[in-house]
Amino acid sequence: MRTPIIVGNWKLHTLRREALELATGVATAAAGLGGRVAWGVAPPALWIGPLREALGAEAGIWAQNCATDARGAFTGELAPDMLREAGASGVILGHSERRHVFGEPDEAIGRKVSLALAEGLDVILCVGETLDERRAGSTLAVVHRQLERGLSAVERAEADRMVIAYEPVWAIGTGETASPAQAQEVHAGIRAWLAARWDEPTSSALRIQYGGSAKPANAAGLLAEPDVDGLLVGGASLDAESFGAMLASAAG
Ligand code: PEP
């Protein structure tokens, strides 16, 4: 039985006061869920510490990125242990904006994944195809390549600290959502790949989120699919009521 996990990716939004208000609203919405849903937020890194103080130890607080290296001459970067010390419980890696806007290659994402795990952060690894790749029929080949390289140094024993997020690039921030059947098809392909990479019990225990214009109106349909174990939410996570409605959908 996989506990669904819903995480709000706030991207480059919120000043400190807005972040605190939003997080408090989300915590209030989550208060009645009684552990049926794991939830978290991924604020701008500056607000990780203040949110950890405001939300206490239980909330999932995710960084949106981290460095490939633990220390060094890497101006502007943040190492996983710095994020952990600030209060982060995990980090989102390989988000499509990191891949396609900032040009992060698969190999750099793989280095980040293994460093983050080694430094005590949980990891959401995002994978997903562009529209051209989908039209060319290479969705699963792309996703499998991203998994292969993103998880290249991850041991089976670390898999329980990982979440995979399937985020088709054509659905992120576009208002266009994958249908539940489209999401399920790729999630099943990811789970089969994970079973071959590690083993069936490990693959069955690992949660696979969907992300891409998820909102209250489509959350229940997506979450009803057998291999959709949660949502990574961008735009709709900036409103506590919308995010709360998706938490309620996941709680069933
Ligand atoms: C995301 O940023 O991970 C995302 C899925 O964004 P949106 O929900 O806005 O498409």
Side-chain angles (χ1 to χ4, degrees):
M1 179 64 184
R2 298 182 290 265
T3 303
I5 176 166
I6 313 283
V7 175
N9 175 13
W10 295 357
K11 310 192 188 192
L12 187 59
H13 294 287
T14 68
L15 289 172
R16 179 190 167 104
R17 182 183 50 78
E18 296 164 324
L20 285 165
E21 277 174 15
L22 180 53
T24 307
V26 170
T28 305
L33 299 175
R36 280 170 292 153
V37 182
W39 67 274
V41 295
L46 281 172
W47 315 142
I48 289 172
L51 289 198
R52 176 57 73 207
E53 271 181 37
L55 295 178
E58 293 308 310
I61 301 183
W62 298 79
Q64 298 176 14
N65 186 28
C66 72
T68 48
D69 291 77
R71 290 289 182 275
F74 300 106
T75 301
E77 292 293 278
L78 292 169
D81 62 345
M82 298 172 187
L83 294 164
R84 188 167 45 76
E85 191 171 85
S89 48
V91 59
I92 299 171
L93 294 171
H95 189 277
S96 77
E97 286 145 21
R98 300 302 318 173
R99 292 179 189 271
H100 296 286
V101 180
F102 297 98
E104 279 187 20
D106 292 332
E107 287 72 16
I109 294 161
R111 282 182 63 179
K112 291 180 183 201
V113 169
S114 41
L115 182 66
L117 290 170
E119 298 288 353
L121 290 177
D122 294 343
V123 171
I124 295 175
L125 172 64
C126 303
V127 297
E129 81 289 4
T130 64
L131 190 55
D132 284 349
E133 288 164 339
R134 173 161 280 265
R135 286 186 176 141
S138 47
T139 296
L140 279 178
V142 168
V143 165
H144 289 164
R145 188 202 72 223
Q146 292 170 337
L147 290 170
E148 179 78 51
R149 296 182 185 169
L151 299 176
S152 60
V154 179
E155 304 289 338
R156 181 174 38 193
E158 296 172 306
D160 63 350
R161 294 174 46 220
M162 298 268 337
V163 173
I164 305 296
Y166 169 55
E167 298 210 303
V169 180
W170 48 271
I172 297 179
T174 60
E176 194 168 334
T177 318
S179 68
Q182 284 173 319
Q184 171 57 26
E185 185 185 10
V186 181
H187 283 226
I190 291 172
R191 204 175 298 287
W193 186 92
L194 293 168
R197 165 76 164 84
W198 287 310
D199 55 37
E200 211 276 321
T202 306
S203 163
S204 302
L206 205 146
R207 290 173 296 182
I208 306 173
Q209 294 175 307
Y210 167 80
S213 299
K215 46 185 178 279
N218 57 31
L222 289 159
L223 290 165
E225 294 296 331
D227 288 298
V228 177
D229 309 313
L231 302 169
L232 183 54
V233 187
S237 72
L238 294 170
D239 178 83
E241 208 177 306
S242 291
F243 194 69
M246 288 186 271
L247 293 178
S249 282

